[in-house]
Amino acid sequence: MSDLAVVIDSVGFGYTKNHPVLKDVSIHVPRGNGLILKIIFFQKGNVCSIVGAVYCLLGSNGCGKTTLLNILLGRIQPQQGSIQVLGTKVEANNGHQLNHLIGYMPQHIALIPGMDIEETFFYFARVNHVRDRGFVLKRIQSYLHMLGLTNAKQFVWQLSGGQKRLLSLGVTLIYEPAVLLLDEPTVS
């Protein structure tokens, strides 16, 4: 088993032929054994990699951060280079194999306004094949406390933008993914 959770080697991608978004990007992220914050400065495809357990991609609008996340999720294929997550090569036809190992919180809120917080947790647990009701209830109580959400029966539509972002994080964690990808987690 590799000591690396994510391997990005010489990845390149462009939405148009003459304007690459990612150019020769290489990042190696070790498997975590603690919360050590390390930052990757990302600017027009140039990356400074630092060893650590938690990584941040920082860069200006349009520099390719979300594109790189979409490549990691197998949603789009790089035009050059390769990606591995947890030892599995990510390709267009196998991204689904990693779905339950990768937690992904998109930059846009993807919650159902008519559900309450508890129903939302149960919904995302079921989507991710977590069937143990007792486990989910324990996780809900833990995440409500950790995230500062006090009323599990409060509807999503009643939450502030920041509370919705916190709930999004909680439902991303509900099935305890091995790799967590957060796109714009501090928006709102």
Side-chain angles (χ1 to χ4, degrees):
M1 179 185 297
S2 171
D3 288 337
L4 297 174
V6 176
V7 178
I8 302 169
D9 279 327
S10 302
V11 166
F13 182 83
Y15 291 101
T16 61
K17 189 169 182 136
N18 296 327
H19 299 292
V21 176
L22 302 172
K23 186 177 178 185
D24 199 29
V25 174
S26 293
I27 303 172
H28 294 186
V29 179
R31 290 178 185 263
N33 57 2
L35 292 179
I36 302 167
L37 179 62
K38 300 294 181 179
I39 297 173
I40 300 171
F41 184 69
F42 200 71
Q43 181 179 16
K44 298 291 182 190
N46 297 321
V47 178
C48 173
S49 180
I50 305 168
V51 176
V54 177
Y55 275 64
C56 300
L57 292 177
L58 300 177
S60 60
N61 293 339
C63 73
K65 299 178 302 290
T66 298
T67 298
L68 184 59
L69 291 180
N70 282 320
I71 291 172
L72 278 166
L73 293 166
R75 293 179 176 172
I76 56 177
Q77 278 295 110
Q79 293 158 342
Q80 71 179 46
S82 65
I83 304 269
Q84 283 188 25
V85 176
L86 302 170
T88 300
K89 185 172 181 174
V90 178
E91 299 175 317
N93 61 350
N94 78 343
H96 65 283
Q97 294 173 348
L98 293 164
N99 282 353
H100 303 295
L101 298 173
I102 299 174
Y104 173 65
M105 186 177 88
Q107 60 182 310
H108 301 290
I109 300 293
L111 303 172
I112 301 168
M115 285 185 173
D116 66 36
I117 291 172
E118 184 177 82
E119 290 171 324
T120 301
F121 273 109
F122 274 108
Y123 171 79
F124 280 92
R126 282 189 302 271
V127 165
N128 289 287
H129 306 285
V130 178
R131 305 278 186 233
D132 183 340
R133 182 172 175 77
F135 172 83
V136 174
L137 282 171
K138 285 180 187 174
R139 302 306 317 158
I140 290 171
Q141 289 309 310
S142 174
Y143 292 143
L144 288 175
H145 177 73
M146 178 179 75
L147 300 171
L149 299 170
T150 57
N151 181 1
K153 295 301 180 185
Q154 187 173 10
F155 285 96
V156 170
W157 65 265
Q158 295 174 312
L159 300 174
S160 70
Q163 290 172 317
K164 288 176 186 174
R165 181 69 53 196
L166 291 171
L167 179 57
S168 291
L169 176 60
V171 300
T172 302
L173 296 170
I174 195 73
Y175 58 99
E176 298 180 338
V179 172
L180 185 61
L181 303 175
L182 308 175
D183 194 358
E184 302 283 353
T186 60
V187 170
S188 82

